Amino acid sequence: MTEEIIIAGFGGQGVLSMGKILAYSGIMQDQEVSWMPSYGPEMRGGTANVTVILSDERISSPILHFYDTAIILNQQSMDKFEPSVKPGGVLIYDGNGITRHPSRKDIHIYRVDAADEATRLGLSKIFNMIVLGGYMKVKPVVRLENVILGLKKSLPHRYHDLIPDNEKAILRGMEIIEEVKV
Amino acid sequence: MGELRLMKGNEAIGEAAIRAGVDAYFGYPITPQSEVIEYLMAEKPHERTGMVVLQAESEVASINMVYGAAATGKKVMTSSSSPGVSLMMEGVSYIAGAELPCVLVNVVRGGPGLGTIQPSQADYFQATKGGGHGDYRMIVLAPASVQEMSDFIKLAFELAFRYRNPAMILSDGVIGQMMEKVVLFDPIPRWTEEEIIKMSPWATTGKPLNRERNIITSLDLQPHVQEQRNIRLQNKYATIQEKEVRCEKIACDDAEYLIVAYGSSARIAQKALDIARAQGIRLGLLRAITLWPFPTKQIRELLGHVKGILTVELSSGQMVEDVRLAVEGRVNVEFYGRMGGMIYTPEEILGVLKAKIIGE
């Protein structure tokens, strides 16, 4: 099993940390992992993205141009990465701020309105965990208990009291994600 | 088994330095390797092992601090990225001339000049052919994973001290910035003063009554003496070339075609190899681990069954010259590269292989 993922959005949306939690979750289930961020000027106030690979085998290239799953959180990233989803692959996006919705017919498209939901819950900081929950529903590659272990590993100790909120957000994401037919 | 962690390549360099029993790190921040010094500062290694971490005022100062500290037989290192490493080249030549052990890390970015902060492999010539002046060589190791970023710190110090020679880890922005699993080696204690005196009798550790002064210098104004120094260096380099070549051969045994690559390019090429093999193309990959000494013999040995070679590098074509020297015109050697921080895809590499080597 190899799962090749791109997560892309604005800096500050928790794109890189969502990738890190996924990578840690992979380690918790004895997988090989790689996490390759964009580290350019775009990260400093613009778009940010990270490529995460989870695999049962040794990972060759950490840099990819086609993905099994694209998690897209802004319009710029939609323009850039919708064409990069492998045929038959998965595109997950948050509709907030999206003006041109995805239109490919050869991939599976899902929408998770995590930004709205996070605001409703009064938990804007765990927006990315709602998205992650949506991903986990669609692609059960990482198990919830391993994600919680991953969170414990990647969060500094002083934030460990926030883990229950994160778990709640993941479960909510699993509930609200919906398939979009184009 | 050692401790398992998820780390950036740059962080692994920092942690490995502490665990390798390094006495001092002198450096100056530059993207894409600033996490090395950031990690070291945050870890407070002076509390863990007594290791000194110092942000110098410039790269020129860093390398000369390395020069001075290395003269005392201590384990010392620095790290930088391309423009910063260029500034260090004078010091490296002096260190090589004075035959001092030390480790440099270059997390290469695109050039020339300030270039770009994105990954590149265009510093191969500088690392393996000179950079500084005079007939000197650096031992150059090219990690292709975060694991090797850690392991090669230990290896680089072993080689540097075995041959009293500077060793460089030539990485790039991909390996420096990415996170992977890494199994950390168990900590090695820093050497005591007594151990240093015993192991490195050449070091300036303070003159006792029973020996002559130890003088560390690269200067010999008398030509016949300077020639002898150069001959000694060349003999040492010949020994390194004979004994220290390292490379990884992937699917080479039955290979009809070969890709030669190193570092991050070897990772991308390996994916091209997987796709090629799935299409029934008998492709192999030779990953150079030591760039100097270069795996000349190891490439030559494959020429019995390899009909054509593609060298891929994130440059305009530097290592390909060493591949061509190894092959001596016996088979077709082609090159494919991207520059300025652009990175090829596995599909792109395979396309070039088919067009230029296989002839489809």
Side-chain angles (χ1 to χ4, degrees):
Chain A
M1 195 288 303
T2 298
E3 167 79 348
E4 299 173 334
I5 312 156
I6 179 96
I7 310 170
F10 286 120
Q13 280 180 317
V15 164
L16 298 186
S17 59
M18 197 197 317
K20 204 167 157 182
I21 291 159
L22 264 176
Y24 266 117
S25 311
I27 287 182
M28 294 303 150
Q29 45 198 46
D30 287 330
Q31 284 173 314
E32 297 300 318
V33 302
S34 79
W35 176 95
M36 181 69 215
S38 59
Y39 64 90
E42 75 268 37
M43 191 177 137
R44 287 150 197 176
T47 59
N49 68 69
V50 62
T51 302
V52 177
I53 307 173
L54 307 172
S55 181
D56 298 326
E57 288 153 43
R58 173 173 154 172
I59 293 167
S60 53
S61 177
I63 294 176
L64 303 169
H65 292 74
F66 299 101
Y67 308 92
D68 298 309
T69 302
I71 299 173
I72 292 174
L73 303 175
N74 67 11
Q75 186 60 52
Q76 290 94 320
S77 303
M78 184 69 81
D79 297 342
K80 194 168 171 188
F81 293 112
E82 187 190 356
S84 308
V85 179
K86 293 178 194 172
V90 166
L91 186 156
I92 295 169
Y93 76 107
D94 185 325
N96 185 37
I98 297 291
T99 49
R100 285 188 302 280
H101 290 258
S103 58
R104 276 179 62 181
K105 290 183 168 52
D106 60 337
I107 58 174
H108 303 283
I109 298 171
Y110 297 86
R111 178 168 169 165
V112 55
D113 283 343
D116 291 349
E117 190 62 23
T119 312
R120 202 170 301 133
L121 295 171
L123 295 166
S124 59
K125 276 184 183 166
I126 42 103
F127 151 77
N128 59 346
M129 291 296 103
I130 299 176
V131 178
L132 180 64
Y135 167 73
M136 289 165 64
K137 175 77 185 295
V138 173
K139 281 259 178 127
V141 174
V142 290
R143 289 195 302 276
L144 182 61
E145 66 262 33
N146 291 325
V147 174
I148 302 301
L149 283 172
L151 269 168
K152 281 184 183 150
K153 274 269 184 185
S154 67
L155 280 177
H157 232 270
R158 61 181 184 279
Y159 294 130
H160 278 199
D161 57 329
L162 298 175
I163 288 174
D165 278 348
N166 281 274
E167 187 170 356
K168 201 166 92 184
I170 290 169
L171 294 171
R172 190 69 191 131
M174 288 176 166
E175 285 164 17
I176 64 169
I177 192 158
E178 281 177 351
E179 185 157 14
V180 178
K181 294 285 174 202
V182 293
Chain B
M1 200 164 109
E3 190 185 338
L4 177 74
R5 286 213 214 150
L6 179 70
M7 291 182 113
K8 278 192 172 193
N10 289 334
E11 295 168 342
I13 290 279
E15 180 59 31
I18 303 170
R19 286 171 181 251
V22 170
D23 294 293
Y25 169 96
F26 307 106
Y28 190 81
I30 179 171
T31 307
Q33 68 79 55
S34 295
E35 292 87 357
V36 178
I37 192 168
E38 285 168 11
Y39 183 88
L40 282 169
M41 288 284 182
E43 273 300 305
K44 297 186 186 156
H46 54 279
E47 290 174 9
R48 276 173 66 179
T49 67
M51 175 185 174
V52 171
V53 180
L54 192 137
Q55 181 175 330
E57 66 268 37
S58 71
E59 289 86 350
V60 175
S62 307
I63 195 66
N64 284 292
M65 288 175 184
V66 167
Y67 185 15
T72 67
K74 300 276 187 187
K75 275 188 182 172
V76 288
M77 65 177 286
T78 184
S79 67
S80 189
S81 179
S82 309
V85 175
S86 288
L87 288 167
M88 293 182 181
M89 279 296 131
E90 180 199 37
V92 171
S93 171
Y94 279 63
I95 291 167
E99 290 192 80
L100 295 177
C102 68
V103 172
L104 292 88
V105 181
N106 184 358
V107 182
V108 180
R109 60 190 249 179
L114 268 183
T116 168
I117 61 174
Q118 299 302 323
S120 164
Q121 296 182 312
D123 295 359
Y124 179 92
F125 281 155
Q126 184 192 57
T128 62
K129 313 278 180 198
H133 57 283
D135 269 330
Y136 79 91
R137 295 288 191 176
M138 268 193 293
I139 297 162
V140 183
L141 300 170
S145 63
V146 176
Q147 183 66 53
E148 287 187 341
M149 288 288 248
S150 167
D151 295 346
F152 287 3
I153 285 285
K154 193 173 160 191
L155 175 62
F157 273 106
E158 282 166 13
L159 295 173
F161 274 86
R162 189 177 307 155
Y163 296 102
R164 282 184 61 185
N165 206 70
M168 174 178 271
I169 294 176
L170 192 73
S171 178
D172 64 51
V174 175
I175 308 292
Q177 290 295 324
M178 73 186 287
M179 285 204 293
E180 283 185 311
K181 279 206 282 200
V182 52
V183 179
L184 297 163
F185 56 85
D186 292 334
I188 302 163
R190 285 174 55 228
W191 291 328
T192 63
E193 296 297 325
E194 292 72 26
E195 284 171 324
I196 290 172
I197 290 168
K198 209 170 146 209
M199 275 186 303
S200 303
W202 48 265
T204 53
T205 47
K207 181 193 172 304
L209 290 171
N210 61 0
R211 69 157 166 83
E212 290 298 304
R213 287 185 303 156
N214 282 341
I215 300 170
I216 303 291
T217 180
S218 58
L219 179 72
D220 270 318
L221 287 175
Q222 293 169 287
H224 67 281
V225 181
Q226 186 59 264
E227 187 179 46
Q228 283 310 311
R229 177 193 291 267
N230 269 275
I231 288 169
R232 191 174 70 235
L233 288 177
Q234 293 306 318
N235 288 339
K236 176 172 82 174
Y237 299 151
T239 307
I240 297 172
Q241 280 179 298
E242 192 189 320
K243 291 189 171 168
E244 304 298 351
V245 173
R246 286 164 173 81
C247 67
E248 183 186 12
K249 291 180 202 163
I250 300 167
C252 283
D253 287 347
D254 68 338
E256 212 174 334
Y257 308 103
L258 184 70
I259 292 180
V260 181
Y262 70 93
S264 54
S265 284
R267 295 283 295 267
I268 300 166
Q270 207 194 322
K271 184 129 186 154
L273 183 149
D274 292 341
I275 302 169
R277 284 271 166 181
Q279 294 175 9
I281 300 167
R282 296 220 307 259
L283 178 63
L285 170 66
L286 188 138
R287 173 169 80 92
I289 293 174
T290 51
L291 302 183
W292 194 89
F294 189 72
T296 305
K297 205 176 84 194
Q298 287 73 6
I299 292 174
R300 236 171 245 167
E301 283 165 1
L302 298 173
L303 295 182
H305 48 89
V306 164
K307 293 195 286 199
I309 299 178
L310 180 69
T311 304
V312 292
E313 301 169 65
L314 297 173
S315 75
S316 66
Q318 301 191 5
M319 182 179 72
V320 65
E321 293 190 1
D322 287 328
V323 177
R324 288 196 171 118
L325 284 170
V327 168
E328 293 177 315
R330 288 166 59 192
V331 300
N332 182 26
V333 177
E334 294 285 349
F335 171 77
Y336 185 64
R338 296 294 298 263
M339 294 171 284
M342 292 301 289
I343 298 176
Y344 25 57
T345 68
E347 293 80 7
E348 204 175 331
I349 292 174
L350 189 57
V352 174
L353 182 93
K354 285 177 178 173
K356 286 191 171 179
I357 302 290
I358 304 177
E360 281 177 14

